[in-house]
Structures are given as C-alpha cells and as structure tokens.
Amino acid sequence: MYISKFIVIGKENNYQKIYVPKYNSIVLVSAKMYITLCNLAMKYNGSEIDVTNKDFKDIKETPEYNILVKNNVFVENLNGLEERYRLFVPSLSSVYFHVSQECNLRCTYCYARHNLGKNMIMSVQNANRFINQLYEKGVRNYIITGGEPMLNPSLDAIIDIINSKKDVRIELLSNGTILDGKISILEKLDNYIVSLDVGDSKQRRGISADKVLANLTKLPESIKNKTTVRSVISRGEELLVPEMRKKIESLGLKYISIPRLPNCANDLMEFPDVSLLEAPMELVDTLAMIRCGAATSIVAVDWNGDVYPCQNLMRTEHLITNMNSDLWYENLLNSTMRTIMCKAHVLNIDKCKECVVRFVCGGGCRALSYNVYQNYYHHLEFYCHHFKKYALDKLNKIAFKYNKKA
C-alpha cells in the first residue's frame, strides 16, 4: 500500500480539503487525520508503507479508511491516471458550423479575419447533407457561427434541419447587429451569444454598441433568458468589466468576459492582465479530466464543407478533409491533424506534465499554442497563472459534492 502525494486546496470548518493530483480526486479530512496523513507522506514519500506502522494501523481501524482508499489517498500502486488519460480519445460530439464567412464588422482580434469579406454562404442543400452526416457520427451540439451567421438568408431553414433531429443543442454566436425580423430564429435556439466589447473599445470596427444594446433591450423575456453577452477584453480594458457586467445584467441578460486571445505572437501585446479578470468561464461542477478536443470531440466545418480541427485552426495547413467526400469521417480519423491533437495533452507538454492541477486545467487551448509559438505542444506561459487559479477555484468549489469527509 502507498500514500499518494496530495495538496491542500482549502478549508471548510475544521476540515482540510485535499486534492490527489495523480488520481484527480478530492477528500475532506479532519485536522487530526490531516496531520497523520502528512506524517505518513513525509515518512514514505513514494515508498511502500510499512503495514506495521502505528499511524497506518490506527487509520485502518477507522471508518474513514475506506473513504481514503476510495478517493485514492491510499493506493495499491502509484501508476495514477496517466495511462488512461493518454489513451482516452473522446468521440465526436460538437461542431462549429460556419454557415457564412461574410461579416458586417471587422474586429481586429477575429480568428476568421483572413476569410472575411468573401462571398461564402452555406447553401441549405449543403447544410442539410452536412448536418445529416455529422449527426450520424454522433454530433449533438451545433455551434452556429461565421462570419456573421445572420447574413445567411437560409439560417432559419438550417436551424430547422438541426432541430428536426433528436437530443440536439443549438448555440448561435452573433454580433447582435442584425435582429430585425430574426426573433423567430432566436426562439429556436438553446443559447444565443452576442459579442459586445466594453466601453468605447476600438477593437470591433463597424459596430454601434448603443444599437446592439437597444436591440437586446427589445428582446422578449423568453429570448433574454437564453442570451449571454460576451466581451472580449484587450489590454487596458480590464477595469471596465464590472461596469459592463452591471449594465448587461440590468437588462436581464447573462454576462461573461474573456481575454483577447492571440492569433499570432505579435498579438500578445494586446493580451490583458488576466489577474484583473474573472474566471474564463463559469466554474464547471465536475471532476472530469480536461483535454483539448480539437479534431476529436470537436471539429469546425466551413461554409463549403471543409473540415478543420477547431474554429481557431481554420487555415490551409490545418485542413483535414471535406464533407462532400464519402470518406470524410475516415479521413478525419486517419488524419495527421487528429494524430497530433490526440497527443497534444498535458502529459506531453513541458511544465504541464508535473503540475498538480494538470488534469483539471488540461493545459489550455492547443490552437493558441500553435498560433503563438508555432508548436502544438508548447506551454502557454502567458495564460498559465490564470488557468492554475481557475483550476484551484474549481477544485475548491466541487470538494463537497463528490466526496465524503474522512
């Protein structure tokens, strides 16, 4: 029997919340139990426990011992979850569905800016075929995006096609400038995300924030309940977030802010001070191990059926296949890009593989790694501290739900 390495992630009354990184598990222990576990950890430190050790024998005689074993504080070996994590490849479940590459704005940070302005609209016939093919392979989460998806005149019909399937979820990403006559479309969505930056941001060219806010104010309550306003925060805009949140929430809408993500190394000059920002997303209440889903659980499909690993890797060098091919799915499964992305996890990233929150953080977006460092396996130095804080906050939040006290 061995004792796993653990860290303290918080305190609740007289209980210590401890996390076991190698097994991605949490347990709450009394102050007395914590001291005993620390003594054992220091004494054996990776060596097999002497079963005649008094501290260990005392613990074994308590009801808490089984809880500690269940939560991998005491283990038969120190192999951990590494091999399972390495071999696990999630199945295809989500698609970024680019129904248009036309856009009425020119945002400086847009990941699709190299395509914007071209006459690229997905036809309803192609959409029908692509949706059927994706659904057949397990896709249930459809994120409709662009360009600006509202510029596709067939958008309503495309959403109807998706909604004709069972157990699907539809999210629409939009700039919120085109809503006249479009309310019926929004009623068919599960989630409507509107991009609107803070203050008098100069990053979104061609937009009138006042017009967008006026549009959102007029939304029926049923639409407001599934609408989220999302601000992309550039350097120098960090302190404007609380005021923007107050304004949006006063309209009965949800609000989130995210850092401006770099599309190249030079864009790091616009990356904000993330220590001043909120968590990158709502804390997910799960202990599932995180890894980049590009080309595995997620793909991006362009207006013409071109398939890419994700929405942030839609360049020629990342093209995997085209959905007009009868072998599109086989091409995806056998592609070089998928092989690369299957290996692009924390255990193959220096500075990540030994991190105590590696399985909770997941190492961050591999598209960011490529776009900034031209390397899918690079440590995201500019974002690491924020990811780590977020991971620890997440662990602290879920400590009670998944574990019992020992």
Side-chain angles (χ1 to χ4, degrees), residues 112 169 224 303:
R169 185 178 184 278
K224 284 186 176 181
W303 69 282

PDB file of all heavy atoms in Angstrom, residues 112 169 224 303:
ATOM      1  N   ALA A 112     -11.138  34.582 -37.719  1.00  0.00           N
ATOM      2  CA  ALA A 112     -11.518  34.300 -39.108  1.00  0.00           C
ATOM      3  C   ALA A 112     -11.303  35.502 -40.024  1.00  0.00           C
ATOM      4  O   ALA A 112     -11.796  35.528 -41.142  1.00  0.00           O
ATOM      5  CB  ALA A 112     -12.990  33.874 -39.160  1.00  0.00           C
ATOM      6  N   ARG A 169     -28.544  20.226 -29.394  1.00  0.00           N
ATOM      7  CA  ARG A 169     -28.449  21.528 -28.748  1.00  0.00           C
ATOM      8  C   ARG A 169     -27.871  22.511 -29.747  1.00  0.00           C
ATOM      9  O   ARG A 169     -26.868  22.214 -30.410  1.00  0.00           O
ATOM     10  CB  ARG A 169     -27.552  21.443 -27.509  1.00  0.00           C
ATOM     11  CG  ARG A 169     -27.497  22.727 -26.698  1.00  0.00           C
ATOM     12  CD  ARG A 169     -26.622  22.553 -25.466  1.00  0.00           C
ATOM     13  NE  ARG A 169     -26.640  23.734 -24.630  1.00  0.00           N
ATOM     14  CZ  ARG A 169     -25.893  24.818 -24.848  1.00  0.00           C
ATOM     15  NH1 ARG A 169     -25.059  24.850 -25.894  1.00  0.00           N
ATOM     16  NH2 ARG A 169     -25.961  25.855 -24.046  1.00  0.00           N
ATOM     17  N   LYS A 224     -34.353  36.570 -23.741  1.00  0.00           N
ATOM     18  CA  LYS A 224     -33.353  37.095 -22.802  1.00  0.00           C
ATOM     19  C   LYS A 224     -32.827  35.997 -21.887  1.00  0.00           C
ATOM     20  O   LYS A 224     -31.644  35.979 -21.530  1.00  0.00           O
ATOM     21  CB  LYS A 224     -33.956  38.219 -21.962  1.00  0.00           C
ATOM     22  CG  LYS A 224     -34.117  39.543 -22.694  1.00  0.00           C
ATOM     23  CD  LYS A 224     -34.586  40.634 -21.734  1.00  0.00           C
ATOM     24  CE  LYS A 224     -34.665  41.979 -22.434  1.00  0.00           C
ATOM     25  NZ  LYS A 224     -35.087  43.056 -21.496  1.00  0.00           N
ATOM     26  N   TRP A 303     -18.176  26.873 -44.644  1.00  0.00           N
ATOM     27  CA  TRP A 303     -19.359  27.054 -45.494  1.00  0.00           C
ATOM     28  C   TRP A 303     -19.413  26.053 -46.642  1.00  0.00           C
ATOM     29  O   TRP A 303     -20.498  25.649 -47.091  1.00  0.00           O
ATOM     30  CB  TRP A 303     -19.367  28.476 -46.049  1.00  0.00           C
ATOM     31  CG  TRP A 303     -18.259  28.709 -47.053  1.00  0.00           C
ATOM     32  CD1 TRP A 303     -16.942  28.937 -46.789  1.00  0.00           C
ATOM     33  CD2 TRP A 303     -18.386  28.667 -48.472  1.00  0.00           C
ATOM     34  NE1 TRP A 303     -16.218  29.045 -47.951  1.00  0.00           N
ATOM     35  CE2 TRP A 303     -17.090  28.890 -49.004  1.00  0.00           C
ATOM     36  CE3 TRP A 303     -19.449  28.456 -49.346  1.00  0.00           C
ATOM     37  CZ2 TRP A 303     -16.841  28.920 -50.374  1.00  0.00           C
ATOM     38  CZ3 TRP A 303     -19.196  28.487 -50.710  1.00  0.00           C
ATOM     39  CH2 TRP A 303     -17.916  28.723 -51.215  1.00  0.00           C
TER      40      TRP A 303
END
